[in-house]
Structure formats: C-alpha cells, structure tokens
Amino acid sequence: MGRRRDPDLYRAPFPLYTVQVHRDTGLVITAGGGGASKTGIKNGVHFLRLERMGGQVCASLAHSFDTETRATMSLALGGDVIAAGQDASCQILRFKEETGKPEIKQERKTQGKGGASEQGPRKRRVGGSQPAAGDGDGMNETQNKTAQISVEKLGEVQTDFSDDGLQKSVRFSGDLSFLVTGGADGYIRVWEYPAMKKKLDFKAHDGEIEDLDISPYNKQVVSVGRDFACCVWKNDQLALGLHWNENMPSIPDKMYRYQACRQAHCLSLYNREALRLYTVQIPHKRDRKPPPCYVTKWDGRSFLPLLTQPCGNEVISCLAVSDSGTFLGLGTVTGSVAIYISFSLQKLYYVEEAHGIVVTDLAFVPETQHGRELVGDHEAAMLSVAVDSRCKLHVLPNRRSFPMWFVLLLCALMIVAVVLFLQYAFPGFL
C-alpha cells in the first residue's frame, strides 16, 4: 500500500463529480461538467461499458448525454431512472438499453447481357445447397448486435432555495416509492415517485447538508450537515441526534464535523440481518499539523456507536459501502483512495494521490455475476472519480485464509505437542 499510479480506466472531457454502477446491466454512469461558465468545458452524463480483456478491465464510452449548461453534482439510481442534481434542481432521466434490430437492405439487380447483373458476376453457391450472400431475391440482411442507449427526460423539480442554489445529495428509497434530496439551504425534501409530488419539506440543519441516506427498510433518514450534527429523522420529526465522541471526552464537540453517512446491511455471525450506519468525521479547522479523521460504525437500529477508528490525516471527502456491507471506501481531498473492512474498520488497501486532486465520489462494483466476472480473482473492486476528469478502478486482492478444518486440526496438533512436551519435561505429569 502506498503511492502508485494505476492507469486510468476512463478520462472524460470534463471534471467528474459523481459515479454509480447500474446493478442489472453493469453500466457505469458518471457525470460532471464545467457548469454555466463560458470556459468551453462541456457538461454531460457518460455511460461506460466495462469488459474484461486480456486479464484487465477496460471501459468504453457507450453513450454521452449532454446536460447543456448545467453540471451534474449528485446522482442516484432507481432501476432505469436517474435522479441528477444540477444546480438547485433535480432532473429525472430514464435510460434504455436496446439491441440493434436487423437492418434489411434491398439491392436491385438489373440483368445485363449473358445473365450477369450490373454489380458483377453471380457468386457461386457454397456446398451446393445454401445460396451465396446477395443471391436469391436480392435482399441482404445485416444485423447490428451492439446495444444502443437512449436517454429520456421525465421531469424536473427545484430542490434547493438558497442563494448558492445547490442540491448536494439525493437518494432513492429501496422500494422506489419516494426519493429524498438535501441542499445548501439545510432543508430535506421528500418527493413521491414517480409523480414527483412534494411530500415533506422541513428544516434539518443550520447550513448546508453534506450527505444523507435512507435505511434499507425506508423507516428513517440519516443526514449530516455543516452544523456539527448527525440526525435521524422519522418523517419530518427528529428521532435522535447522534454523538460519535460521547465515549471520547478528550475530543471537544466543535472540533470535528460530520462529512458523510451510509446505511447498509452487514453480514454477522449472530445476526445476518444486522443493520449498520457508518459516518465519517473530519476536523472543522485546517491546521498545519492536521489531526486524524475518524470513521464510526453504529448499530443501525439502536444507533449506539459500536466502534470508532482513526483513518489518517488526509481529510476525507467521500464514503461508499459495498453491496454486502463488507467493505468501506474512502476518498480524500488530496486524491488518495482507501478500502477498509467494515467489521474492524482496518485498512486493507490504500493508494496515495491516486488522483491529482479531490476525490468526488466512489462506487463499488456490484456483487452480481457480471460484477464477479469483472473482479476476477480479486475480492472486491471499486471505482473512483475526481475533479481531474479521471475514473479509476481499484481492486482488492484476495486475503490469505485457511479453511476451518485446517485451523481446528492445527489447534489439536498444538495441544498434543504441549502435552507430549510436558510429559517429557516432567515425567509422571499424567
């Protein structure tokens, strides 16, 4: 682990701010842009297709959707629907992947002298039974098997009313019945989907909302803001305010603020349906000798802190959780990328300055059949995007492990060896 520059998976013609991987198709959807400034930098949403070729994962641009004068800063996927945060609005898009239909091309043959067509001599039949291409009724059939992607605009709603006009986070509910947005004005707004009718609108934080997430059971929303608060909401009522440092009296309340939050299922030996909340805390003020950032694991039902670990002195910019809840991904403002195991919050993978500037978003490759084919012999794979316009792939090598029967056999042999040693050293011990 350390400083090493992996080759770029993809480089866009504009800064990238968000990335998601579609679970069913495996398409990578990344977006960004230069905004409304007249710098010549475009704005768009790019659809990438991942393939494994020669033992390496390669990306190809499948479709580019122009978002005109607005850059997409936040993005959520709900099936084949994209909720894209653009300035103070949320634009709803639907994409469709279609396989090209066979194209029937008719070629008219004009017979000349000697029975030959104007296009040249008649082609011989191969094998005596199948007509040659272009022979017969003058119809040639060409089939295009490349899947084409089309994007349709479904609607748009204003989700932020601050002077800056910036939607900072958006999430779909698990059953796709509603979506939640949070912006620079500190308000959480809940929208019925697909009608996009406003259901709830309430003040959640004094200042910008940095991040929010919906529980897998749609029972509560967790939000973090620049006001040092992490809140659990049931509808528009504050259910609980979280305090990550309540067991760390040496850390004052105003020294750190919350930067990101994610809720996920976590595999457990005792409870396979264990629900966990993960939050990242960063220093409120920048010092020459910056204090460490922290990541905290919470019980997702009682919201009690289970474990807090430092995660380095680089300021964390974004957080992601794998499908199974086994791994956490962290990006930093200096361009570094790390992967932690969620059980003990220990670092498994780290690349210093993988990007030249702040990492804006992370996304794990889904744990589907297609995802496992891409990952190959590795344990997990994660995508990162940054303002440097690059999309990179980070793979986590398989950790060495031994089967349980081998561990038990080794323990039994050790016990026998100890007993024999004691019997040899102290005759008559048994």
Side-chain angles (χ1 to χ4, degrees), residues 10 71 106 123 166-167 194 231 238-239 317 321 326 342 344 362 397:
Y10 177 72
Q106 183 172 354
K123 297 181 180 179
L166 179 60
Q167 176 187 296
C231 303
L238 178 63
S317 57
V321 183
T326 306
S342 62
S344 60
L362 303 166

Side-chain angles (χ1 to χ4, degrees), residues 279-281 293-297 307-309 311 328 330 345:
T279 60
V280 169
Q281 296 79 232
C293 297
Y294 289 91
V295 57
T296 300
K297 178 172 67 173
L307 181 63
T308 296
Q309 291 281 20
C311 51
L328 306 180
L330 297 178
L345 300 182

Side-chain angles (χ1 to χ4, degrees), residues 11-37:
R11 185 168 184 178
F14 47 74
L16 295 175
Y17 296 111
T18 181
V19 63
Q20 295 285 328
V21 184
H22 191 252
R23 184 175 181 83
D24 297 333
T25 63
L27 287 171
V28 175
I29 304 172
T30 185
S37 59

Side-chain angles (χ1 to χ4, degrees), residues 340-389:
Y340 286 71
I341 188 167
S342 62
F343 175 74
S344 60
L345 300 182
Q346 296 299 310
K347 187 188 299 181
L348 302 177
Y349 172 96
Y350 173 73
V351 180
E352 183 181 2
E353 297 180 6
H355 294 270
I357 198 170
V358 56
V359 179
T360 50
D361 202 6
L362 303 166
F364 280 91
V365 174
E367 298 173 10
T368 59
Q369 181 178 354
H370 178 66
R372 286 190 292 269
E373 291 174 355
L374 290 175
V375 171
D377 296 333
H378 300 91
E379 196 164 0
M382 183 179 71
L383 297 167
S384 64
V385 295
V387 183
D388 61 1
S389 306

Side-chain angles (χ1 to χ4, degrees), residues 172-226:
F172 273 102
S173 64
D175 59 0
L176 302 184
S177 62
F178 64 92
L179 62 89
V180 180
T181 61
D185 60 0
Y187 278 77
I188 289 178
R189 295 175 173 90
V190 181
W191 308 82
E192 294 179 357
Y193 179 80
M196 293 305 296
K197 180 181 179 182
K198 189 186 297 183
K199 182 179 179 181
L200 296 173
D201 185 345
F202 59 93
K203 181 76 171 179
H205 293 271
D206 294 326
E208 295 183 7
I209 293 177
E210 287 291 348
D211 200 7
L212 55 79
D213 200 15
I214 308 172
S215 71
Y217 303 112
N218 305 334
K219 290 185 178 180
Q220 64 263 334
V221 173
V222 177
S223 64
V224 297
R226 285 183 174 257

Side-chain angles (χ1 to χ4, degrees), residues 136-334:
D137 59 357
M139 303 289 285
N140 286 345
E141 183 176 286
T142 304
Q143 185 171 2
N144 179 16
K145 295 184 179 180
T146 304
Q148 303 294 327
I149 297 175
S150 61
V151 180
E152 174 189 6
K153 294 181 181 180
L154 299 182
E156 183 176 332
V157 291
Q158 185 172 354
T159 56
D160 186 81
F161 294 88
S162 64
D163 295 335
D164 295 333
L166 179 60
Q167 176 187 296
K168 301 201 67 174
S169 187
V170 58
R171 290 287 181 272
F172 273 102
S173 64
D175 59 0
L176 302 184
S177 62
F178 64 92
L179 62 89
V180 180
T181 61
D185 60 0
Y187 278 77
I188 289 178
R189 295 175 173 90
V190 181
W191 308 82
E192 294 179 357
Y193 179 80
M196 293 305 296
K197 180 181 179 182
K198 189 186 297 183
K199 182 179 179 181
L200 296 173
D201 185 345
F202 59 93
K203 181 76 171 179
H205 293 271
D206 294 326
E208 295 183 7
I209 293 177
E210 287 291 348
D211 200 7
L212 55 79
D213 200 15
I214 308 172
S215 71
Y217 303 112
N218 305 334
K219 290 185 178 180
Q220 64 263 334
V221 173
V222 177
S223 64
V224 297
R226 285 183 174 257
D227 57 355
F228 307 95
C230 177
C231 303
V232 181
W233 304 93
K234 289 188 176 180
N235 295 323
D236 57 352
Q237 300 299 312
L238 178 63
L240 194 62
L242 305 185
H243 302 279
W244 72 278
N245 60 336
E246 60 182 6
N247 296 324
M248 306 172 71
S250 61
I251 299 180
D253 289 337
K254 301 296 182 180
M255 184 176 178
Y256 285 83
R257 65 177 178 86
Y258 294 93
Q259 173 65 18
C261 62
R262 285 293 179 272
Q263 298 185 81
H265 288 289
C266 183
L267 296 179
S268 172
L269 293 176
Y270 305 102
N271 185 2
R272 286 195 161 287
E273 295 298 326
L275 185 63
R276 297 289 181 260
L277 166 68
Y278 302 94
T279 60
V280 169
Q281 296 79 232
I282 65 174
H284 176 56
K285 295 182 179 180
R286 304 287 179 89
D287 298 329
R288 289 186 177 180
K289 294 184 178 180
C293 297
Y294 289 91
V295 57
T296 300
K297 178 172 67 173
W298 309 74
D299 185 285
R301 291 183 172 85
S302 64
F303 292 101
L304 294 175
L306 301 176
L307 181 63
T308 296
Q309 291 281 20
C311 51
N313 297 93
E314 297 175 275
V315 178
I316 304 301
S317 57
C318 52
L319 166 69
V321 183
S322 64
D323 280 359
S324 62
T326 306
F327 303 107
L328 306 180
L330 297 178
T332 72
V333 298
T334 52

